Amino acid sequence: MKELSLNILDIAENSVKAGASLTEILIDEDNEKIVITVRDNGCGMTEETVKAAQNPFYTTRTTRSVGLGIPLFKEQAEMTGGSLTLSSKHKEQYPDTHGTVISASFYKNHIDCTPLGDVAASIVTLVQGHPEVDFLFEHKTDRGVVALDTRQLREILGNEVSLSSYEVIVWIGQYLKEQYTENH
């Protein structure tokens, strides 16, 4: 993928498909490195599925016979000297603590480091496409933090207003862009 933000979007979409009610997207960035972590409380994966998910010829989709999201993300990280870890607890074995965590580190100064891209647009897309799911987003740098927690928005808006309504989506986009302007 041309931007890491598109990898984030792809992995978070997988979280939604796994039945997650909360997906956390955490970016920790300093002068040398970007660490992207996506954590969810979805159904999780078995140990066999965790191993297979890193193979580009494995997918749970029925529309195509390859699943490139995680393998490409891993390759992008490793090309910079970074790494990817994938851990998961399947709901059958861990009924109260199931979910998946993917964490990838990228060395920013490496010539093969993919640009981070428009993370705010990816977050807006996720909220708009899945207003019933909660997303916690944090992007930490030495200049500040950009954050959004849809659970807080739900508390303010109540049940009458959908997170996918036009006004809310516009506000979320502006809110994130303002934070990026102030903190990055």
Side-chain angles (χ1 to χ4, degrees):
M1 294 194 194
K2 295 180 182 180
E3 297 178 345
L4 295 174
S5 61
L6 297 176
N7 291 98
I8 293 169
L9 180 61
D10 181 61
I11 290 167
E13 285 286 344
N14 289 340
S15 295
V16 171
K17 289 176 187 162
S21 61
L22 174 64
T23 300
E24 299 175 29
I25 300 164
L26 311 170
I27 304 172
D28 195 359
E29 183 176 359
D30 61 27
N31 289 334
E32 294 179 23
K33 199 156 111 174
I34 300 173
V35 178
I36 299 170
T37 303
V38 179
R39 179 183 304 125
D40 70 51
N41 65 354
C43 65
M45 295 183 261
T46 64
E47 287 182 38
E48 297 80 31
T49 304
V50 168
K51 291 175 187 169
Q54 296 180 57
N55 177 343
F57 299 104
Y58 172 81
T59 185
T60 57
R61 293 181 178 177
T62 56
T63 55
R64 64 179 188 218
S65 59
V66 294
L68 297 175
I70 294 172
L72 282 178
F73 198 41
K74 181 178 181 178
E75 181 181 22
Q76 287 173 315
E78 290 174 347
M79 285 174 45
T80 71
S83 62
L84 180 135
T85 59
L86 171 61
S87 62
S88 192
K89 294 180 177 180
H90 193 268
K91 67 180 178 180
E92 288 181 12
Q93 288 182 292
Y94 301 92
D96 298 326
T97 59
H98 54 83
T100 301
V101 179
I102 296 174
S103 187
S105 61
F106 303 82
Y107 285 93
K108 293 167 51 172
N109 294 329
H110 194 283
I111 192 168
D112 290 323
C113 189
T114 304
L116 186 55
D118 192 349
V119 179
S122 291
I123 300 304
V124 168
T125 299
L126 286 166
V127 174
Q128 186 174 20
H130 307 287
E132 73 287 355
V133 176
D134 280 313
F135 295 95
L136 169 65
F137 169 67
E138 288 183 356
H139 184 171
K140 296 178 184 178
T141 70
D142 58 351
R143 296 174 300 282
V145 178
V146 175
L148 177 76
D149 188 339
T150 59
R151 295 170 295 186
Q152 292 174 341
L153 292 179
R154 284 184 207 288
E155 284 181 28
I156 295 166
L157 296 173
N159 294 331
E160 301 83 40
V161 180
S162 172
L163 294 183
S164 65
S165 70
Y166 175 77
E167 294 83 4
V168 174
I169 291 301
V170 168
W171 182 87
I172 290 171
Q174 290 173 342
Y175 179 68
L176 290 171
K177 286 180 182 166
E178 285 172 12
Q179 289 184 71
Y180 272 111
T181 300
E182 293 172 8
N183 296 310
H184 289 88

